[in-house]
Amino acid sequence: MPFWPSPISTRDVAGSGVRPAWPTAQDGRVWWTEDRPGEGGRTTIMCRAADGTCRELLPAPWNARTRVHEYGGRPYAVTPTGEVVFAHLKDQRLYLLGTDGEPKPLTPEGCRYADLLIHDGQVWCVRERHAEDGKVTRGIVSIPLEGGEGREWATGCDFYASPAISPDGRHLAYVCWNHPRMPWDGTELRVTPLAGGGGSWTVRGGPAESVLAPSWRDDSRLYLISDRSGWWNLYEAGLRGDGLRELHPAEEEFALPPWQLGGRPYAVLGDGRLAVLHGRGDLRLGVLDAASGTLTDLDVPYSGWDGALTADGTFVTGIGYAAAIPRSVVTVDTTAGGAADAAADAAAGGAAGTAAGGAAGTAVVAARVLRQDRDRLPDPAYLPVPQPMRVGGEVHAFLYPPYGPASEGRLPPYVIFVHGGPTAHANTALDLEKAFLTSRGIGVLDVNYGGSTGYGRAYRERLKGLWGLVDVADVVAAAEGLAAGGLADPARIAVRGGSAGGWTVMAACCRSDVFAGGVSYYGVSALAPLVAHTHDFESRYVEWLVGPEDPQVYAAREPLALVDGVSCPMLLLQGLDDPVVPPEQSTAFADALSERGISCTYLAFDGESHGFRRTETRAAALAAELAFYQQIFA
């Protein structure tokens, strides 16, 4: 047997995670979304009251998910009175969930909505229209809470995000950008007057500056995030862009890439300070004094946070994680003495869980756990601890050594994990997929190849025009580094990835013979069909990643054209309802491999989209992946 038994089963990995996300805190209450893998992967909304009681607001079949940009984002907002407005997946209409618990439609069918904000009795949001001829248009609209078509306030750009209204209600700030740019390439922060007429103006940004997440300091000044220095840092600017001031210059990121709408990487506390996320790779939680520029990290047991913070007075709530702690909805008291107060609350039974501690240079605070992704975890001995490392000199990665004794004196097998995006990053969050492998004696190396976020704009732009080359070179260097360092058996190294990571897997197997096998989840194999058929948000992305459409360049880069170079077995997995990477991308590559006599298994899952959500699908996919490794590593 190449592996030993493990207490972590496919059902443990696939069935128990509820993926809490998008917290909102208001008047002592906290709302967030949760997935229900056992109910077809639908998303519900939870609410925790000030007295600690928690309840689910949306029963089946209601499903709080928006399809704006296809990747969606924050699907709900909370009114000042505690009612919830949400987007329902099936028809994409907005609904008001009143106190009677019955959703009432606010919008007609035919549009999609995201990035919701409630102000002055109206829902402000990004609206996306899909015409019969395939044309997609977007704008920022306001819709009365009584329902209706709404009024359009900003239009003319291809994309919009982050509507924010000044405290006096006179100005609307928002982010916009146009094809072929993506939001991490170049955006503009604009302001539109809501009364008195006049057109909008640009506060900051342009083709080579990514500006994100505006928030109002007062009626005449804005906070914003910009990468004008080469790093996403926090700034303050006047209404017309005057008096731009960097709040805390650092070669760190203060934001994550906005693949989804509704992210809030910082939050304004009730006393005027800012709760912020910052760091390289994983982002830490801190408090920034905007006046002095002093940044104080909060001593909490989480190595990283999702890019969605919310403030209620001096409390900040977010989704924290660590290698041995599930993703958790966590409320942190940022005031002195919070640790003692929370400890007393926990002793009285008023909190789901409390963690407190202190370290030099950090603030002693308390973190109250409201909800965890998983109620049960395996024995901590089976949870791998990530070890940061560099491969190939400059490539960032996390090493997860296998658990257990060496097998018959042989070096262990390894799997190289390749994240999607490609403008995304691998973090150190608890991942039972990794533990599923390491507990069976298979090591994991999670690679942040060139193009990944978390390490500044220059590192992101290593991939510009070189997709299929830089990413492939980095994962090949990672495999060779494992072997040269005596960490892995060079004959037993596989590579796996999803979406853009699937492209890298296929391309790496085409261009190199270092891998014993490759596993692609809904990966890209051909560029021209992707450009022709993918969704609008990424329809021009290939121009940045590879270049303008050129059959010769595409043929020199795409896996389908290079399939003759594959010499190892492959496993391809695909959702049949995928609007981002159509199933034809996987089937064409599978057919090409079969025609050449290369061992290939292709598994398609009906009802699944770009990313598997159902318990049965996730379990079946993981079981197939393990069987594949057992075969190629035997």
Side-chain angles (χ1 to χ4, degrees):
M1 287 288 292
F3 314 127
W4 42 83
S6 165
I8 303 174
S9 69
T10 57
R11 300 293 295 188
D12 291 332
V13 179
S16 59
V18 297
R19 302 185 185 182
W22 308 116
T24 299
Q26 177 180 294
D27 299 329
R29 289 182 286 178
V30 180
W31 294 258
W32 65 89
T33 62
E34 285 187 6
D35 285 358
R36 294 289 182 263
E39 299 177 26
R42 76 177 187 94
T43 300
T44 188
I45 299 174
M46 306 294 294
C47 180
R48 184 184 188 273
D51 64 4
T53 58
C54 187
R55 64 190 181 100
E56 180 176 352
L57 301 183
L58 287 183
W62 294 101
N63 194 344
R65 284 174 58 196
T66 170
R67 289 187 59 190
V68 172
H69 295 181
E70 293 300 349
Y71 292 115
R74 184 185 298 270
Y76 77 99
V78 180
T79 73
T81 59
E83 295 178 308
V84 172
V85 175
F86 70 97
H88 179 45
L89 177 63
K90 183 177 181 179
D91 58 16
Q92 287 298 288
R93 300 169 74 181
L94 290 182
Y95 287 80
L96 175 67
L97 181 64
T99 54
D100 60 359
E102 184 64 30
K104 301 175 179 62
L106 298 183
T107 58
E109 293 189 42
C111 293
R112 305 175 184 183
Y113 306 87
D115 229 341
L116 312 183
L117 165 72
I118 309 295
H119 175 79
D120 195 25
Q122 299 183 89
V123 185
W124 299 73
C125 58
V126 175
R127 181 176 65 189
E128 182 179 273
R129 292 183 183 272
H130 291 249
E132 291 185 2
D133 63 1
K135 184 178 180 181
V136 183
T137 57
R138 300 175 182 85
I140 292 181
V141 301
S142 61
I143 302 164
L145 285 173
E146 294 77 26
E149 281 282 353
R151 176 177 176 179
E152 199 161 46
W153 293 93
T155 186
C157 291
D158 292 326
F159 302 98
Y160 290 88
S162 306
I165 299 175
S166 59
D168 61 8
R170 297 179 59 190
H171 295 97
L172 167 69
Y174 55 90
V175 171
C176 57
W177 67 98
N178 289 307
H179 282 308
R181 296 190 297 274
M182 299 296 283
W184 42 84
D185 299 328
T187 63
E188 294 181 30
L189 166 56
R190 291 185 182 174
V191 169
T192 292
L194 299 179
S200 64
W201 60 85
T202 298
V203 176
R204 283 296 321 167
E209 180 182 2
S210 173
V211 181
L212 309 173
S215 180
W216 291 90
R217 192 197 78 170
D218 52 36
D219 294 335
S220 62
R221 294 193 68 79
L222 287 149
Y223 295 123
L224 59 102
I225 290 177
S226 167
D227 70 351
R228 65 195 304 267
S229 70
W231 299 83
W232 273 318
N233 278 193
L234 264 164
Y235 294 80
E236 180 186 310
L239 191 61
R240 299 265 177 184
D242 54 295
L244 184 70
R245 182 172 69 92
E246 193 167 12
L247 301 185
H248 185 85
E251 291 188 349
E252 294 184 333
E253 303 283 47
F254 282 70
L256 297 171
W259 279 100
Q260 296 181 301
L261 294 175
R264 298 165 186 167
Y266 67 95
V268 182
L269 298 166
D271 56 12
R273 297 176 300 159
L274 303 178
V276 302
L277 301 176
H278 71 104
R280 295 193 182 193
D282 291 318
L283 302 186
R284 306 183 302 278
L285 179 63
V287 172
L288 175 63
D289 185 312
S292 67
T294 302
L295 176 58
T296 304
D297 282 341
L298 302 182
D299 185 24
V300 289
Y302 304 97
S303 60
W305 297 77
D306 290 354
L309 296 181
T310 177
D312 185 14
T314 56
F315 292 85
V316 58
T317 300
I319 308 295
Y321 60 78
I325 302 176
R327 269 192 165 82
S328 305
V329 183
V330 182
T331 294
V332 179
D333 183 354
T334 65
T335 59
D341 294 342
D345 184 32
T354 304
T362 61
V364 178
V365 294
R368 180 174 301 156
V369 179
L370 310 185
R371 177 67 157 160
Q372 289 189 326
D373 180 47
R374 300 170 185 273
D375 294 327
R376 295 185 304 105
L377 288 179
D379 184 328
Y382 290 97
L383 299 179
V385 178
Q387 301 175 13
M389 64 179 296
R390 296 284 187 95
V391 295
E394 61 177 335
V395 181
H396 301 270
F398 294 107
L399 181 74
Y400 296 83
Y403 171 87
S407 177
E408 301 175 358
R410 297 180 67 185
L411 291 171
Y414 261 80
V415 178
I416 307 292
F417 275 42
V418 187
H419 67 70
T423 309
H425 73 282
N427 59 38
T428 60
L430 171 69
D431 184 351
L432 287 191
E433 282 191 349
K434 294 186 178 74
F436 180 82
L437 296 178
T438 59
S439 63
R440 287 170 167 80
I442 306 173
V444 170
L445 183 67
D446 211 353
V447 181
N448 276 314
Y449 50 87
S452 302
T453 50
Y455 306 98
R457 186 173 183 119
Y459 196 78
R460 295 201 307 270
E461 294 191 340
R462 283 188 61 223
L463 197 63
K464 186 175 182 179
L466 298 173
W467 193 37
L469 298 177
V470 164
D471 50 324
V472 168
D474 287 353
V475 299
V476 169
E480 292 174 339
L482 286 175
L487 297 173
D489 182 343
R492 296 191 296 165
I493 301 176
V495 59
R496 64 98 80 175
S499 190
W503 154 281
T504 304
V505 166
M506 288 186 272
C509 292
C510 290
R511 293 181 176 277
S512 171
D513 59 2
V514 303
F515 297 109
V519 179
S520 168
Y521 282 78
Y522 32 86
V524 177
S525 68
L527 294 172
L530 179 72
V531 172
H533 298 294
T534 195
H535 60 133
D536 183 62
F537 177 60
E538 292 183 275
S539 62
R540 305 282 296 276
Y541 194 18
V542 171
E543 291 183 31
W544 187 93
L545 291 168
V546 178
E549 187 167 355
D550 183 320
Q552 289 185 324
V553 173
Y554 282 12
R557 198 71 63 83
E558 64 189 14
L560 189 59
L562 303 172
V563 69
D564 285 341
V566 179
S567 59
C568 64
M570 298 200 69
L571 170 65
L572 309 180
L573 305 103
Q574 178 71 47
L576 293 179
D577 295 342
D578 192 335
V580 179
V581 179
E584 292 76 17
Q585 293 276 341
S586 291
T587 56
F589 197 71
D591 291 343
L593 289 174
S594 297
E595 289 174 3
R596 289 156 177 79
I598 302 299
S599 175
C600 176
T601 300
Y602 171 65
L603 299 178
F605 297 94
D606 192 24
E608 289 289 2
S609 182
H610 198 66
F612 300 157
R613 303 180 67 89
R614 298 175 177 176
T615 297
E616 58 270 25
T617 302
R618 290 156 62 180
L622 190 59
E625 193 174 347
L626 178 62
F628 179 75
Y629 296 140
Q630 288 174 325
Q631 179 184 8
I632 65 173
F633 291 156

